[in-house]
Amino acid sequence: MTTRHRPPDHEKRPAQAPRPARMTIPIGVGREAREGYEVTAPARLLRTWRLLSAMNAELHADDADEAGAHRAAMMFNVLLDEVARSVSAPLAAEMRALFPPLDEHCGVAGARTACAAALGWLDGLMTSMLLRFAQQGQRPAERARPVRSR
């Protein structure tokens, strides 16, 4: 006869930490808001932004070579997929139209250009997201109103 040994209550595995609630952050006003421009995974997008920033710094270092450009091109394509997974469909479509995947023969200059352009676009998206975070902490009367040109 086989019996199973059950550990006492104090030896049970610790409970997993609760997963944070899923957060969606609307981006933009006007047309962008109406078309559903949203960040659906802000933590993933933030990590991807930091990785792209680090890759951009490596590409602009003095010792960047063709092998590094090849690795950067492959990483660039992975990071673009991560961005697409982190945003709504309209933003993902915009990103794919602006930044096609890099091929393995793009060279240092091509990788630098693509990385810097994608980083600029992502910087704008991150700024919009952070502004939305800042507005959430304010009462409606304190929120910044759009400036209208005369």
Side-chain angles (χ1 to χ4, degrees), residues 48 75-85 95 99-101 118:
T48 305
M75 180 59 100
F76 179 82
N77 294 336
V78 170
L79 292 176
L80 286 184
D81 289 342
E82 286 299 304
V83 172
R85 291 180 51 216
M95 184 210 56
F99 312 111

Side-chain angles (χ1 to χ4, degrees), residues 94-118:
E94 178 181 306
M95 184 210 56
R96 285 188 184 106
L98 291 171
F99 312 111
L102 291 177
D103 69 356
E104 59 187 49
H105 305 293
C106 66
V108 175
R112 282 178 177 164
T113 303
C115 188

Side-chain angles (χ1 to χ4, degrees), residues 25-28 39 45-46 49 119-135:
I25 302 167
I27 300 296
V39 173
L45 188 66
L46 198 65
W49 177 58
L119 191 56
W121 182 83
L122 204 50
D123 283 346
L125 186 59
M126 294 303 298
T127 301
S128 295
M129 187 176 83
L130 293 172
L131 284 171
R132 187 62 74 148
F133 273 143
Q135 288 176 346

